[in-house]
Amino acid sequence: MSYKSPIDTEQRIPSGQGWLALSPIIVFLLLYVAVSIILDDFYKMPIAVALVVASMWAVAIYRSRPLMDRIETFSRAAGHFNILYMIWVFILAGAFASVAKEIGAIDATVNLTLRFFPPQFVVPTLFFAACFISLSVGTSVGTVVALTPLAIEIAQMVDANIAFYVAVVLGGAFFGDNLSFISDTTIAATRSQGCNMADKFKANLWIALPAAIITLGAYIFMGQDTPAISLAKESDYFLIIPYIVVLATAIAGINVTIVLSLGIFSALVMGMINGVSLMDMASFAGVGIDGMGDLIIITLLAAGMLGLIKAAGGIQFLLQGLTARISGRRGAQAILALLVGIVNLCTANNTVAIITVGGISRDISERYGIDPRKSASILDSASCVVQCLIPYGAQTLLATSLAGISPAAPFPYLYYPWALAGMIILSIVFLFPRRLN
């Protein structure tokens, strides 16, 4: 007997219309990912160009509305509060990273870190720090902002692959995003599935912790080849204060915009103490903000395109297709992971993806006897896997923009999300954890 989802009571999206509505994301992936793979160079095809073409295609195929209405739909999605808030974070992050670097805060922090940890433990320490900070902060974006500049500087000092070090930070950032009690994804998953955060944390620990341990073990093994690092010069260690301010306020759970604002202010104070003029630091901040320009354009284009996909019925078509045939508890859990993963692919926001499929996922869970703590864990974990792997996710775009590398460059080194995906599959196949009490 096939499961009848609540979608069946709504207007059904015909197959042709549904696939056409989804075609902009296919156009984008073909233009950016496929072309880059064929050329074996992810720098040849700019992601912004691929998004412009896909966005134009999205406007062209949404033919049920006049042209100006289609453009308005695109603009409303691009100008959504969450998108503009994200842009504020990007702007502040660019300013902070640039000022902190130019006054010597990053050099001082890296030098201090390398004095405490042997070279072979730098990579696992960076991953562990990202896991800890993101677990405390509850936001992967905040973790990326705090640690990416340090990761870049360390990679340059050891003459290593910057994309690899950026991937280390990204993986650790999503570990905390997946488990933290104050994470948006945790709140969305637990509320939509009707369980409390502590119980969901226990269920999620069986999936996320082994994945993190496996990844940490891989980094420890890989770090054995890290060469000895000779520090070029002594640093004024009081310059690490801006980073202490950022980390301390982030761990305290303060809003990321306030965290970055305090970081910028403390960097300005440290710069003046160190003899840097205010006008010079204003120039540094301006360079950092300008460096976020491409990232902001990409974010607006992606949001607008995905808004058109949703308006044309693409998300509705996905939901009705995936919930059409479900058999057994394992099949139902697999559908939950696929639902949130594919919707996340189309929205580039794991919290939005969880909220979108939350009601349907709860109905499926009740129909097939899935513990709400397990369903919440699957939704949270699967959405984090996809969000970490897509090159147009906010976290990846921010990290790679700070590093000055292609958004696809970290992909081959993202070990944690693949380990997490493996643990999700095992948890579905072997139906663990069996005891959640």
Side-chain angles (χ1 to χ4, degrees):
M1 179 180 176
S2 63
Y3 170 72
K4 292 290 185 181
S5 79
I7 293 177
D8 295 324
T9 63
E10 301 177 9
Q11 182 180 0
R12 304 287 292 178
I13 305 295
S15 180
Q17 178 186 339
W19 283 112
L20 184 63
L22 290 172
S23 63
I25 195 75
I26 299 172
V27 169
F28 166 72
L29 292 174
L30 287 174
L31 275 176
Y32 182 64
V33 180
V35 169
S36 299
I37 291 174
I38 292 170
L39 297 176
D40 195 26
D41 187 348
F42 278 91
Y43 292 88
K44 287 288 186 182
M45 173 58 73
I47 190 171
V49 173
L51 280 169
V52 165
V53 175
S55 297
M56 291 172 66
W57 175 253
V59 171
I61 63 171
Y62 188 33
R63 291 174 293 184
S64 61
R65 295 284 191 276
L67 176 60
M68 291 309 298
D69 286 356
R70 294 178 241 169
I71 294 175
E72 182 180 352
T73 300
F74 179 96
S75 302
R76 285 184 182 277
H80 189 275
F81 164 78
N82 289 333
I83 302 301
L84 296 180
Y85 173 75
M86 199 183 306
I87 287 173
W88 265 113
V89 173
F90 294 161
I91 290 171
L92 292 172
F96 171 71
S98 182
V99 174
K101 179 177 178 60
E102 294 298 334
I103 68 169
I106 293 177
D107 288 338
T109 306
V110 169
N111 283 357
L112 189 63
T113 301
L114 295 178
R115 288 192 184 280
F116 276 96
F117 297 99
Q120 61 267 31
F121 289 108
V122 167
V123 171
T125 299
L126 191 62
F127 177 72
F128 180 82
C131 290
F132 174 75
I133 292 170
S134 58
L135 187 63
S136 304
V137 176
T139 166
S140 48
V141 172
T143 305
V144 167
V145 167
L147 289 184
T148 299
L150 300 181
I152 296 166
E153 191 73 16
I154 292 172
Q156 291 173 339
M157 291 187 70
V158 301
D159 195 25
N161 188 334
I162 292 177
F164 171 73
Y165 277 72
V166 169
V168 172
V169 172
L170 281 171
F174 277 98
F175 171 81
D177 206 26
N178 189 212
L179 282 175
S180 176
F181 282 78
I182 57 175
S183 167
D184 288 347
T185 56
T186 293
I187 295 169
T190 52
R191 286 185 178 178
S192 66
Q193 300 308 296
C195 64
N196 65 53
M197 293 186 186
D199 287 336
K200 179 261 184 186
F201 176 84
K202 294 174 186 175
N204 230 23
L205 209 58
W206 286 83
I207 298 174
L209 186 59
I213 291 172
I214 291 169
T215 306
L216 185 62
Y219 287 146
I220 292 173
F221 176 77
M222 296 171 69
Q224 299 307 306
D225 296 328
T226 304
I229 304 169
S230 57
L231 301 180
K233 57 182 179 180
E234 289 291 332
S235 296
D236 295 321
Y237 289 125
F238 75 89
L239 290 174
I240 70 172
I241 289 175
Y243 266 98
I244 293 175
V245 169
V246 166
L247 293 177
T249 52
I251 291 172
I254 297 174
N255 183 282
V256 67
T257 56
I258 299 176
V259 167
L260 288 169
S261 298
L262 291 173
I264 293 170
F265 176 76
S266 60
L268 292 175
V269 172
M270 292 300 105
M272 287 189 292
I273 291 174
N274 213 32
V276 183
S277 72
L278 269 177
M279 285 309 302
D280 284 342
M281 287 189 284
S283 177
F284 300 152
V287 170
I289 293 170
D290 289 344
M292 294 290 111
D294 287 345
L295 173 57
I296 292 169
I297 291 171
I298 290 168
T299 301
L300 293 172
L301 288 171
M305 181 191 72
L306 297 170
L308 283 172
I309 289 173
K310 183 176 181 180
I315 303 298
Q316 177 76 7
F317 173 69
L318 275 177
L319 298 182
Q320 75 184 30
L322 288 173
T323 56
R325 294 180 180 274
I326 301 175
S327 59
R329 187 178 297 178
R330 289 183 177 87
Q333 291 186 25
I335 288 297
L336 295 186
L338 281 173
L339 270 175
V340 75
I342 296 177
V343 172
N344 201 135
L345 186 71
C346 296
T347 60
N349 187 305
N350 43 351
T351 304
V352 171
I354 291 171
I355 292 171
T356 300
V357 305
I360 296 166
S361 298
R362 185 168 184 173
D363 290 335
I364 294 173
S365 299
E366 291 174 353
R367 171 71 171 79
Y368 286 92
I370 302 172
D371 192 299
R373 294 164 288 189
K374 179 64 179 292
S375 62
S377 176
I378 290 175
L379 292 182
D380 201 342
S381 301
S383 67
C384 283
V385 168
V386 175
Q387 185 69 15
C388 189
L389 291 175
I390 56 176
Y392 51 97
Q395 297 85 349
T396 299
L397 288 173
L398 177 56
T400 55
S401 180
L402 290 170
I405 58 177
S406 164
F411 184 84
Y413 313 107
L414 289 169
Y415 305 140
Y416 174 72
W418 289 114
L420 185 61
M423 289 306 304
I424 294 171
I425 293 171
L426 290 175
S427 77
I428 292 172
V429 172
F430 296 103
L431 297 175
F432 69 80
R434 295 183 182 274
R435 292 186 178 182
L436 296 174
N437 295 325

